[in-house]
Each structure stands twice: as C-alpha cells, then as structure tokens.
Amino acid sequence: MPAMAPSKKSSASTGVGVRRRPRTAYLLLIPGLGWLSIFFVVPLISLFATSLQAPTGKNGVYQAAFQVSNYAEAIAEYWPQFVRSFIYSGIATVLALVIAYPLAYFIAFRAGKWRALLLVLVVAPFFASFLLRTYAWRTILADEGFITSFFNMLHLLPEQRILNTPIAVVLGLTYNFLPFMILPLYAALERIDPRLIEAAGDLYASPFTGFRKVVWPLSLPGVVAGTLLTFIPASGDYINATLLGAPSDRMVGNAIQTNFLQFRDYPIASALSFILMAIILTLVFVYIRRAGTEDLV
Amino acid sequence: MDASGDVQDLHLLDLTKAFGDFVAVDDLTLTIPAGSFFALLGPSGCGKTTTLRMVAGLEDPTQGQILLGETDITHEKPYKRHVNTVFQSYALFPHLDIFENVAFGLRRRGIKNVEPQVTAMLELVELGPLARRKPAQLSGGQQQRVAVARALINQPGVLLLDEPLGALDLKLRRQMQIELKRIQTEVGTTFVHVTHDQEEAMTMADTVAVMNKGRIEQMGAPIDIYDLPQTSFVANFLGQSNLLSGSVNSGGDVLEVSAQGQRFGVPSNRSVVTSGDIVIGVRPEKLSLAAAGEQVADGRNAIPGRVTDASFTGVSTQYLVMTPWDAEWVVFEQNRASAIMRPGDEVTIHWEVRHTFGLAPAEAV
Amino acid sequence: MRWLRKNLIPIIGILVLVYLFIPIAVVAVLSFNKPAGKFNIAWNEFSLSAWQNICGVPGVCGSFVTSLEIGLLATLVGTIFGTMIAFALVRYRFRGRSTTNLLIFLPMATPEVVLGSSLLALFLNLAFPLGFWTVVIAHIMFIISFVVVAVKARLQGMDPRLEEAARDLYADARSTFRHVTFPLVLPGILGAALLGFSLSFDDYIISAFNAGTLVTFPIYIWGAAQRGIPVQVNALATLVFVIALTIVLVSQFINYRRRRMLEAGMSAD
C-alpha cells in the first residue's frame, strides 16, 4: 500500500475517518460527560466537603466546616479495616490470577470450536444474583459441610472452620471477581499468534521458558487490566465480609456503609471513602506506570 | 450491458498532495483517454494510491485540478462525483447480501426499480446464482467480482481499481486479469488501475504510467516502455536491465560509447543523451553467451565475463556473469543451444546494437 | 502420566469453570428445598412449592419488577449517552480528549462504595429525596463508562474502507451512517447494553446507598438474608439465570451454525 502507509495521517485529513468539526463532537459529548460531571465529579466534591463537616449536636445533621481532624479520627479508628481490605483483596487478586490464567490460556489456545461457548460460560455467573451466589458459599463452606470436614481431617484449619473466618472472605472475593480477571486475560492471550509459541519451541525454548519469555510478557496488558478490575472492586467490597466473615473480619467498605447508613456519621464515612479512593487511585497510577501500559484506557 | 454512454477523458493538472512535510504526489499532470485501461504502476509509497484517492474524492488535493471531461471535480464530494472505486480487499458491506451490495449505489441515488439492473450486472460478472449470499460466504475471486459489479453498475465515468488483485493467489490472479480485461472491453468504461505488480500492469493495461516518489517517470504502451526505458528506475522496476556507465565518443545514427575500456554501439534514437556521459543498458533476454575465444559476429556489442551462477528454469536458463569490473550481469538464454554453461566458465556476453538503450548519467545506479 | 501432562491445562480450565458454577448449582438446588428452619442453607426435603407459587412471598416479585424497570431505563439512557461519547472519541478531533478519557476511566477505577456514598453525600447536601430516580441516576452514571469502552473498541475495529466505499457509492454522511456505520456497530452497542443491564439489575452497593426506602431485588435479598431468604428468591434467580443463559446459548448456536454454513458454502464453489 503506497503513500497511504501513514494511514492515520491520511484518514485524519479525509472526511470519513476522523472529522474535523469539533462542534458536532461537543454535541455528542455533552449529555454523557454532563451526566458524569454532575453525578460523578460533583458528588466527589460533595463527598470531600462532607468529609470536613462538623457536627451540629443533632444526630445526622452536620454543618459546613473545615474539620481536617475527621481524617485523623477516621484513620485512628478504622486503620485495621483499611489494612484488612488491602490484604484480603491483594490475596484474592493473586489467587484469581493464578486460577484464571490456565482457563484463559485454555480458551485462547486449546478450545477450538468450543471457544465461544466457554466464553459464554465465563460470563454466565453474571446472570445469577451476586448476593445469592455469595450466600451460597455459606452452604458450601458450612461447618458440618464436606469441605470443612475434609480440611479439618488434615488439621489445616487454625479455627477448625472456614465460615466466619478471613479464609471465607478471601475465597468469596476471589470467586466473585474471577470473571473480571478471566476476560481481559483471555483478550490479551487471544491476540498472541500461536505460531510464536511454536517458534519459541523451535528455537530451543522448553515449554516453561517459552511461556516465561514469550506468552507471559505478551499477556501483561491483560494481567494489568485483570488485576485492576479484580483488586479495585474487591478492596471496596463489604458484601463478602458481611455474608461470609466474622465481625472481626470487617473491611473498610463495612465501615463506610455502617457510618453512612446506620450511625449517620456522614463526615467520618466521607473521610473514609475519600481516603479509600485516594489510596486506590495512587496504587492504580503507580501500577500502570510501572507496568508500562498507560494506554490501558 | 453498456456503460460507455458518458465516458470522458480524465485530466489531472499539476496535482499535488502533501501530508505535512511528506509530498506523496508531486505536481502530477496526466491525461487518461476515455475508454482506456490505464495502469499506475509503482513501488510502495510512490503516491499511486494517493493519486487514485484524490480522483475518488477520498483525499483532498493540496494543489492542482482534476477534470472529468470538461467538469472540474477537484473538490466535489465523493458521493457526488461520477467516479467509482474497487477498493483494496474489496470493502464489501458484510451485513448486506451480494444483491444489496451491488444495489447500494443505485438505491442511494434514489432509483426505485433496481432489480433488472442488478440482475444484469450479476450476469456480467457471472454471479447470478449467488445474489442472496453474504460476502463472507464467497471465495476471494467471487468477492472481487462483486466489488467490480458494485462499482460498475453505477456506470461511472471512470472506474478506479486499487490493487484489485492483491489479495488473490497467483493462479486466481491470472484468471482475474483476463476477466477484468474482458469486462472492460465489454463495458467500455475507463479503468484506472493501481498496482505494484509490473506483470499485472503489462498484461491488462493499454497504457502504463510508472510512478516513483510522487512523479511519473515514464508513460506509454507496456511494450514501448519495456523496450525503451528512459530512466534507470524504469529500466529496473519494469523487468530487469543490465546497466553500464560510459561516455559518448562520437555521434551519428549509432553513437560510439566507450566504457570500461571497451567500445559499444548505441542507436542515437534509442538514447536519452547523445553526447558526454551516458549509461547504456540492455535487457537480459537480448543477451547471448559464447564460450571465451569463440568468434562473435562483427558489429555486435560484447563484453567478457565469468559465469558465477546458472539456474535452469525449464524454458530458459538464467545466468549471472561477473564482468572484469566486478558487476554482475543477468543473462536469460532460451534452452535451444545444446551447450549449457557452468559456473566458472569464461564467456563472452554479446548482443545486437539495436537492442541497446542509452540513459542520462544522473540516473546511474 | 504423559496424558496428564498434555491435558493439564484443559483439566485445570474445566475445574475452574466448575468452580464458577458450584454456587449457582447450590442456589438452583436449594430452590427445590423445603428448609428445616427459616434459613434456606442446608438441604432438607424436596419441594416444588416455591416454584408453584413464585410470587407467594410479599415483596419478592415487586422488588424484582422494580429492578427490571430501573435496569431497562438506566440501560437505555446509559447506552445512548455512552455510544455518543464513543463516536465523538473515535470520529472527531477536539480539545479535551484526554480529560474525556480520564472522566470515562475514573468511575471504573472507583470502588462502588465510593461511587454510592459520594452520590448519597450529594443528594443529602441538596436534600434531594431518595428513591427510584436516585437509583436510576446512579446506574446511568456507572453504565456510561462500560458502554463507551465497548462501543469504542467496536468502532476502532471497523475497516474505514467500508465507510469510504459507501461515500464512493453515492451515500452522503447521513446515509453512510444509517446504512453502513450504524448496522455494523449495532452488535457492539447491544453487547454493551446487555452488560449494562446485568450490572444494573444485580447492583447492590450503589443502590443501597441511594435507594432510601425503595426496595430493589438485590436490596430485598440483602434484607432477607438477616431473617432467612425465602425459597422463592432462589427459584426466581434460577429462572432468570436459565432464561438468560438459554437466550445467549441459542444465539451462539445460531451463529455457529451460520458460520458452519458459510464455510460449507465457500468450499462448495
């Protein structure tokens, strides 16, 4: 293809590829971006304002202020929840990666004509209620249940049970966000030409070296996207901790939820939300930069 | 089906297209006569596709004019100009069946009863029975014919073909070359064909324009360009040539040229320059080989050499011969002679003066 | 042993799939249970009563319909807004592109508790009454980003020559959009809408913050979990799962058959 080789350039100058009338573009953007500004950005500002409010003495009613001490109070009281949140969701993310990779690899390279069907099965859990699926783990991990008894027989459980322990919470988190790990991994693996793996084998790489030097690096964008899509929702989740854990396993999501909806301590709850988001965004940007996939979005 | 009703000459006047600093098409002036099969031939990046896209209206010229007959269509919207395109890899609409693909242009122009025209067109390209298939259900050659039918049904003043056979395998490409030529003869529309395949251009086109770096190097009937290239680019892009730099000793009907201590004859009407420095050239199939010491007929050009490679290809044998000044010459000999040379053999390359051509020295390789 | 090594990856893959489906199987099995106490957790006795009287418990079907309404409305609006943004991003040059990208990315990088609580903070500060509309507003907000990502990918994957061909064949801008661009992007839009709907229908956290006294299906389940989830909820969830999976599988099968026919058609010529 001659002269057209810089096809980006050429389409930029034609009418069809990319159009130059920005006015139409703004008209297309206004409703959606307007919505996101009013119901995402403004709420974050509102959240920040609320996090600095001071009590009026009346329960659930606060006034505008600049009470930075709310943050100190929130951290002092809830730092264990923060630590637990990041430990639980970190472990769950690693577990999900380990579990999801073989399945994604299988679907991408070995599934043949079953590929489409298997992908449907991966997203199928979304068709069943998140809450009910989580609740079902209470049945599966029940104290008298098969799984708990099996592990007890091997004396592997420090508390002689799984339910209402951190193990159940981590298992629940791993399970619930697994499809979010599988899909981006699959998308990245699917783009790898299987002949590359054969070429690696041809060039004296053992299957393991071939994987380490060829497949793994090429799948990194999927790994980054998958770990983010798992870690972010897991770290703010409180459903698993509530349904599967003991009161001592509560996460920061629980703290935000109870402060907002039960104690009606809006400033503390807002401060907690704000800290959580700040930590996650910092982690996300550092991670994306380190992984070198800034065009993730 | 006759589409020749309003076939007109296509004129490009001082046409220029620049992408930033890169000049893709440089001050191109060209007339493509009505009803001809015209090929724009050149390597990747030579500006041939950009030229085609400007004619189609998909690219806006930086400078210059495009005229169809008397009408200036330089800045006419693509959907308003009476020019249609067969796209590279066809760009058939995957969601429409063959019939609807072919009917697309007619429907957009508000023609109500499209059935007879579409049926006739599908007959022309021999796809009648496949009208209700989707493009993905067709083979490459069939898709190619749909693309042609979809464009031709609009009876364009000019039909543009952008590397139309690039996606086909060799055998099918040969077949489609003949097919396209047949269709063109039948409908009489001007075909402008862009390709990087010199053989394809020579097989199909009445006129070939060889493009390089945004300019046309040479234009003419395939046989004329091949026989008498005027630049070393053409000499090597269209077929192969053996070239040698020297200088003109004396003029006349046959120039006497000395190069590498030897004398050669070049017909002056086959040379771009008639005095001073010159590059002389000859096509490989015009050359003959004789064993060293063997008598070569008088009045033929000759140079000594040593065979470095001989590949037997059936019809002919291709030799690489090293000259005393370390240039490798290519020689094609038909396998009529009993003696086949072997690598290492000392030989004399000889050819008729009338097959020699002369080029300007600035073009030296 | 060799066999095991060769098939290790498929075996692990299938085990992972089984793992994904175990809880769903538990939900389905328990829909045929007659629980011993008020908690439907352990198998007791086979019973069809929940299936025969699926709306028998007050609130179950009502909350189900509420979630359907919210899901459809939020999906419709979110899909339209998201598709418009995707078109603007892929098809136009304008200033503020990176801000737009950031604004699309951030809601996806923000935990649901933060999304839910910040909206609640806004509604509280404005003294805006919580209920059906606040939940719809919240759902539209998080659906938009997912739609933008999906439709953008579809648009970028489209061969630009198809639109050029349309313009070459006498289609003006509007006609090109209507007859070529839109039909080709539609599957991507529908996929995004399906994803948006299932996210909305199943959302608990953001809804819980902004629902006030409104009860959606997930909110109903959450509330019921404290005092025992009625068997009808299992039946209803199983029903939804089976219907949704059947629709998707049937459409996949039709696709597969069509592709098979295409291949057969090609080799026949």
Side-chain angles (χ1 to χ4, degrees), chain C residues 48-81:
Chain C
L48 277 174
S49 66
W51 285 92
Q52 283 157 346
N53 195 7
I54 212 157
C55 288
V57 182
V60 173
C61 285
S63 63
F64 187 83
V65 171
T66 303
S67 277
L68 271 181
E69 287 169 356
I70 291 172
L72 289 174
L73 202 56
T75 304
L76 182 70
V77 179
T79 306
I80 292 173
F81 287 3

Side-chain angles (χ1 to χ4, degrees), chain A residues 121-247:
Chain A
L121 293 182
V122 169
V123 290
F126 288 136
F127 301 146
S129 162
F130 176 92
L131 290 175
L132 281 183
R133 280 184 291 132
T134 311
Y135 202 69
W137 283 102
R138 292 195 73 84
T139 302
I140 302 164
L141 302 175
D143 291 347
E144 323 75 55
F146 163 77
I147 292 175
T148 308
S149 318
F150 176 78
F151 281 101
N152 263 330
M153 218 166 65
L154 303 172
H155 301 286
L156 282 172
L157 300 173
E159 297 177 54
Q160 280 78 50
R161 62 188 306 197
I162 298 176
L163 208 58
N164 298 334
T165 70
I167 300 175
V169 178
V170 170
L171 278 179
L173 291 171
T174 310
Y175 171 79
N176 274 316
F177 301 110
L178 194 56
F180 290 113
M181 182 68 90
I182 299 172
L183 292 176
L185 274 180
Y186 163 78
L189 286 169
E190 189 243 9
R191 265 181 250 146
I192 301 176
D193 187 343
R195 281 173 301 182
L196 288 178
I197 304 168
E198 288 168 19
D202 183 56
L203 297 166
Y204 314 106
S206 68
F208 177 70
T209 317
F211 174 79
R212 201 165 54 93
K213 296 281 187 195
V214 179
V215 180
W216 174 255
L218 288 173
S219 68
L220 271 185
V223 174
V224 171
T227 45
L228 286 178
L229 284 176
T230 310
F231 181 79
I232 295 169
S235 59
D237 179 81
Y238 61 84
I239 292 172
N240 288 282
T242 310
L243 292 182
L244 304 176

Side-chain angles (χ1 to χ4, degrees), chain B residues 53 58 78-79 81-85 87-89 91-95 104-105 108-109 133 136-138 142 150 154, chain C residues 159 161-173 175-176 179-181 183-184 258 261-262 265-266 268-269:
Chain B
R53 287 172 61 86
L58 299 170
Y79 52 88
R81 52 178 89 183
H82 212 44
V83 168
N84 293 107
T85 309
F87 285 82
Q88 196 173 25
S89 57
L92 300 181
F93 303 125
H95 59 300
F104 193 90
R108 297 292 85 73
R109 286 188 296 161
R133 298 253 185 118
Q137 289 168 279
L138 266 53
Q142 292 168 337
R150 185 179 72 171
N154 304 292
Chain C
D159 184 352
R161 285 197 204 100
L162 291 172
E163 284 171 297
E164 289 185 351
R167 296 207 311 154
D168 186 59
L169 294 165
Y170 311 100
D172 57 18
S175 207
T176 301
H179 294 284
V180 176
T181 318
L184 287 174
R258 193 179 294 158
M261 272 166 56
L262 300 192
M266 269 184 75
D269 294 314

